[in-house]
Amino acid sequence: MTPLAALLLQRIAATGPLTLADYMADCLLHPTYGYYATRDPFGRAGDFITAPEISQMFGELLGLCLAQSWLDQGAPSAFTLAELGPGRGTLMADVLRATARVPGFHAAAHVCLIEASPTLRARQRATLGAHPVQWLDQTADLPDAPLYLLANEFFDALPIRQFTRHGDAWAETLIGARDGQLTMGRAAPAEIAPLHHRLADTSDGDIVETCPAAPAILQAISARITQHGGLALILDYGGWISRGDTFQALKAHQFTDPLAEPGEADLTAHVDFAALAAHAPAHKYTTQGALLTALGINHRAAQLAQRLTGEALIRHQAATHRLTAPEEMGNLFKALAVFPAHCPPPAGF
Ligand code: SAH
């Protein structure tokens, strides 16, 4: 049993079953035993690999998309360049390198990283070298200024609640204890006001998930973009409107039982992009494959390929395919752009 499992069993004995959100929050970010709080989980040797770790092209193209939007919106002389959940800092490093030659962009940018894990903050510091950066705890702390923001695989790590429909009521998935082990069960069905609108598109037995932290985050981003301009690019796996059980655990690149080793496996759920877009002043939604293709990944890939041979060339071609092919990340991963109501959609959308 992991030390966190023992703590959670004590907590359940004292105060009763946990929602999936309570469980996820402790498993991912418990200060002593949380998954992100204690390690760098990325890369081949870690538990999973993300788009910026697959190829530099991901950050380059998204960075240039932000910079183009900054130019189109009049190149404001001071703005926030922010990232939510920057992991190793690779995406921001690629963004900064790709935008270094956009006149005035770096001079106007105040880089803010929103990161909960002290271990990963240290890793980001190392990756970004001397570049001035400010860390923030939450989006509510973002400066009152134009906002150009990236979030890749951030929202899938936010705690979710899960409900199964029974007539017009919903039974919440809970984690309790039996024979000294964590077990999953369901609460008695109850009316859940925030799910009333889902009665129209679901039927008995259907499962839906909600992300309680997401609305406030989108509201904080949208408020700055509405008032001062900007653009948020949110990429993640998921779809338009949550449907079905997507709560999952990943360890060493394999799916595993989410209750087996709390704190030792990554826990995620698919992102409901409709729930995020509901708070945006204006939005556009597409697949990661379509976005990267429209932003010119094939052109950039060909340019980089000219300098490569042998194994390196094969790896580069495989990375391009992995990011964009429909059967790889291209379709499973989606992209949402949040921009001001009076502006046209950004490049690539
Ligand atoms: N964007 C990176 C890492 C994705 S993993 C990449 O694409 O490689 C999720 C990241 O979000 C980690 O850096 C994790 O520590 C951070 N994170 C998770 N929950 C968070 C929260 N509630 N507040 C701030 N950061 C969080």
Side-chain angles (χ1 to χ4, degrees), residues 61-262:
L61 294 168
L62 296 183
L64 292 173
C65 177
L66 289 184
Q68 182 64 54
S69 169
W70 175 75
L71 289 168
D72 291 344
Q73 292 186 45
S77 62
F79 73 96
T80 309
L81 178 59
E83 185 180 351
L84 308 184
R88 286 180 167 174
T90 309
L91 174 57
M92 186 53 83
D94 291 337
V95 166
L96 290 171
R97 194 184 58 256
T99 55
R101 274 176 294 169
V102 178
F105 189 77
H106 279 205
H110 170 59
V111 178
C112 289
L113 304 179
I114 294 175
E115 174 57 64
S117 158
T119 308
L120 289 175
R121 282 188 184 198
R123 180 69 211 239
Q124 291 151 21
R125 173 75 285 159
T127 302
L128 294 169
H131 202 99
V133 198
Q134 184 183 7
W135 279 271
L136 303 174
D137 291 329
Q138 45 178 6
T139 43
D141 301 336
L142 282 167
D144 209 14
L147 176 62
Y148 291 82
L149 176 142
L150 291 169
N152 184 61
E153 290 210 42
F154 170 76
F155 285 93
D156 68 77
L158 295 182
I160 56 142
R161 294 175 68 181
Q162 189 187 73
F163 302 89
T164 306
R165 183 165 170 188
H166 285 255
D168 286 353
W170 301 89
E172 180 159 17
T173 305
L174 296 177
I175 294 172
R178 192 182 309 132
D179 304 328
Q181 301 287 328
L182 296 169
T183 58
M184 220 178 264
R186 286 196 186 125
E191 296 219 353
I192 307 283
L195 288 181
H196 273 329
H197 69 290
R198 297 304 309 272
L199 294 176
D201 70 285
T202 55
S203 43
D204 223 27
D206 281 354
I207 293 177
V208 302
E209 294 168 343
T210 64
C211 178
I217 295 173
L218 262 291
Q219 283 158 13
I221 295 169
S222 296
R224 286 155 185 83
I225 290 177
T226 299
Q227 205 182 345
H228 305 286
L231 169 65
L233 299 176
I234 298 171
L235 290 98
D236 225 308
Y237 47 97
W240 194 259
I241 300 192
S242 145
R243 182 74 52 82
D245 172 16
T246 74
F247 181 52
Q248 65 185 37
L250 206 61
K251 193 179 175 190
H253 303 267
Q254 302 289 326
F255 288 109
T256 144
D257 172 2
L259 301 191
E261 295 176 275

Side-chain angles (χ1 to χ4, degrees), residues 253-329:
H253 303 267
Q254 302 289 326
F255 288 109
T256 144
D257 172 2
L259 301 191
E261 295 176 275
E264 297 295 322
D266 186 33
L267 298 180
T268 65
H270 284 204
V271 172
D272 178 350
F273 282 92
L276 304 184
H279 303 279
H283 68 269
K284 273 280 197 176
Y285 174 70
T286 186
T287 63
Q288 173 172 304
L291 175 64
L292 295 178
T293 304
L295 290 174
I297 193 169
N298 292 323
H299 182 75
R300 179 67 179 138
Q303 195 181 37
L304 288 172
Q306 285 171 3
R307 286 188 260 141
L308 300 172
T309 54
E311 272 298 302
L313 179 59
I314 291 168
R315 267 203 310 276
H316 169 64
Q317 285 161 343
T320 312
H321 184 75
R322 185 152 178 207
L323 289 179
T324 55
E327 71 279 15
E328 298 272 346
M329 297 172 82

